[in-house]
Amino acid sequence: MPTARTVTSPKKFIIGNGLFNNLGQYIQDFGSKALIIYDAFFEEKVKTEVIPALQQAKIDSVLEVFSGECTEKEIHRLKDLASTHHVNVIVGIGGGKTLDTAKSTAFYKKEPVIICPTIASTDAPCTALSVIYNEQGEFERYLFLPQNPDAVIVDSHVIAQAPIRFFSAGIGDALATYFEARACYNADGINLVLQKPSRTGLGLAHMCYTLLKDNVAQAMDAVENKVVTPALETILEATIYLSGVGAEAGGLAAAHAVNNGMSVITDLHKAQHGEKVTFGLLTQLVLENAPQQEIEDVIHIIKTAKLPLTLEDLGLQTFEAQKWRKVAEIACAEGDTMGNMPRKVSVDDVYNAIVAANALAHRYK
């Protein structure tokens, strides 16, 4: 069993308005020829802003559109492309799955990786972890990476222009950070770098929660109007950096385990990661028999961030007990983060908590 307590983080985390126009200066310290892996919807901005910035910094580039799913097949396709073109730095531009794929490609190539989120829907940018899915979009495994990204560049203007649903999903993912880290710490469990959770990790996770509570309403005002404000950048620091580093050093628990299980529910395949984690958090709070005030504070943030509250809000058409028992089984699988709960929970416990959490959510609609 591991005994060390850890704090891990990207080498650089930089946030500001208009950073994409100067992206070359952040990449040039790490390589001279970049494989740019990007989401298709961001292609115009890559070609009109990112490439000129790289050319100004005398950085050659190879452009490649992400296929849409972080699979072993896609990772190895991009690894082979990087080898063919002899690139020496990987740059990921896009959402969580794009960034996880870029991190994985860089890992297999043993090259530095620069992460540029275009949405703030998950804490994927900062972590030394990629979530691997199968070709059907179902959770397959975690790929634990030996180090965090070399740099994470967050252009707050870019993220403010993205659909608000992504921003909300990032709040949902970050909202679970403190509660999962607290559970993992109390259980003396295993964090995301397979060591013991640290006090610093728990502290960062708590700061993440505090910043969410204090700034969520004002930040939602900003992103609804596609403007950058101090509250917006505070939330981005919480959802991208504090959530990522806090989760990595503090550990995950039931909320993410339930999210992993929910990947087998076809109705929910269009739900965002952070939206499903939010329901996973409600399930965790039920499992913990959390204080009423704590539950109400969490639900207030969920509603302020305009996140789905019930399973039906997430897209569920019909609740089929057998399928949701399968969700509970996957959530309780050996090696998943359900093992970081302070008390051992069974498949029946998790299934019952899912049902109760949905009933709880309906009461607050």
Side-chain angles (χ1 to χ4, degrees):
M1 287 289 289
T3 57
R5 299 190 184 275
T6 60
V7 181
T8 49
S9 173
K11 292 186 179 77
K12 295 182 179 181
F13 177 83
I14 304 167
I15 181 171
N17 192 335
L19 297 186
F20 267 54
N21 296 323
N22 298 296
L23 201 53
Q25 68 174 296
Y26 303 112
I27 296 174
Q28 64 186 359
D29 292 336
F30 298 99
S32 58
K33 187 171 185 179
L35 172 61
I36 312 291
I37 304 167
Y38 64 94
D39 285 340
F41 78 89
F42 210 71
E43 184 164 23
E44 182 179 353
K45 203 167 187 70
V46 168
K47 290 182 175 179
T48 59
E49 294 186 26
V50 174
I51 297 307
L54 298 189
Q55 290 171 339
Q56 188 174 2
K58 297 181 170 54
I59 297 171
D60 293 330
S61 58
V62 177
L63 301 183
E64 188 63 24
V65 178
F66 173 56
S67 72
E69 197 62 77
C70 183
T71 63
E72 297 284 358
K73 181 179 179 181
E74 175 68 354
I75 292 165
H76 288 286
R77 180 183 77 84
L78 293 166
K79 176 181 72 72
D80 291 344
L81 186 67
S83 296
T84 299
H85 290 279
H86 305 289
V87 305
N88 55 17
V89 60
I90 309 297
V91 180
I93 301 176
K97 290 184 177 182
T98 308
L99 304 183
D100 274 1
T101 303
K103 290 187 293 183
S104 303
T105 302
F107 164 66
Y108 286 117
K109 281 297 299 171
K110 294 182 170 54
E111 300 289 359
V113 61
I114 312 300
I115 294 300
C116 307
T118 57
I119 55 176
S121 61
T122 72
D123 53 23
C126 290
T127 60
L129 175 77
S130 291
V131 183
I132 310 298
Y133 296 85
N134 62 25
E135 299 294 328
Q136 289 71 49
E138 298 172 349
F139 172 77
E140 190 167 278
R141 68 184 180 97
Y142 289 122
L143 173 61
F144 296 96
L145 305 170
Q147 62 184 24
N148 300 74
D150 294 274
V152 177
I153 313 299
V154 180
D155 188 327
S156 51
H157 173 75
V158 167
I159 292 178
Q161 309 314 304
I164 192 170
R165 183 185 178 191
F166 296 129
F167 184 76
S168 297
I171 292 171
D173 198 24
L175 182 56
T177 303
Y178 168 61
F179 298 99
E180 292 191 281
R182 181 180 70 182
C184 186
Y185 189 82
N186 289 339
D188 200 26
I190 304 298
N191 65 18
L192 288 182
V193 292
L194 305 180
Q195 299 293 334
K196 292 292 184 180
S198 65
R199 296 162 188 83
T200 301
L202 182 60
L204 292 173
H206 188 264
M207 183 188 294
C208 178
Y209 180 53
T210 299
L211 294 183
L212 291 178
K213 283 198 298 183
D214 292 347
N215 293 276
V216 62
Q218 301 95 313
M220 290 297 291
D221 290 340
V223 82
E224 283 175 347
N225 290 282
K226 300 188 181 301
V227 296
V228 176
T229 65
L232 173 67
E233 292 195 335
T234 298
I235 288 290
L236 292 179
E237 189 174 333
T239 59
I240 297 175
Y241 184 79
L242 289 173
S243 180
V245 176
E248 193 163 73
L252 302 179
H256 272 79
V258 170
N259 162 77
N260 292 341
M262 289 164 74
S263 68
V264 301
I265 304 296
T266 305
D267 286 353
L268 305 188
H269 280 184
K270 292 184 179 179
Q272 291 289 311
H273 169 82
E275 294 172 341
K276 292 185 287 186
V277 169
T278 300
F279 186 82
L281 173 58
L282 293 181
T283 304
Q284 177 173 324
L285 294 176
V286 170
L287 283 168
E288 294 174 323
N289 196 24
Q292 184 69 20
Q293 187 59 57
E294 191 167 84
I295 291 172
E296 290 183 356
D297 288 346
V298 166
I299 288 177
H300 175 72
I301 294 172
I302 293 170
K303 295 179 79 169
T304 303
K306 299 184 178 178
L307 282 158
L309 190 58
T310 67
L311 291 177
E312 290 73 19
D313 291 340
L314 280 167
L316 187 69
Q317 299 296 312
T318 305
F319 187 97
E320 298 179 38
Q322 184 177 0
K323 289 184 178 180
W324 283 91
R325 287 193 181 278
K326 181 65 175 176
V327 170
E329 288 174 12
I330 294 171
C332 293
E334 185 177 355
D336 210 323
T337 56
M338 191 65 74
N340 286 332
M341 292 295 285
R343 68 175 182 87
K344 184 174 177 59
V345 295
S346 68
V347 171
D348 282 345
D349 291 333
V350 174
Y351 172 78
N352 293 339
I354 288 170
V355 174
N358 201 39
L360 168 70
H362 276 283
R363 280 199 284 115
Y364 284 90
K365 285 288 288 180

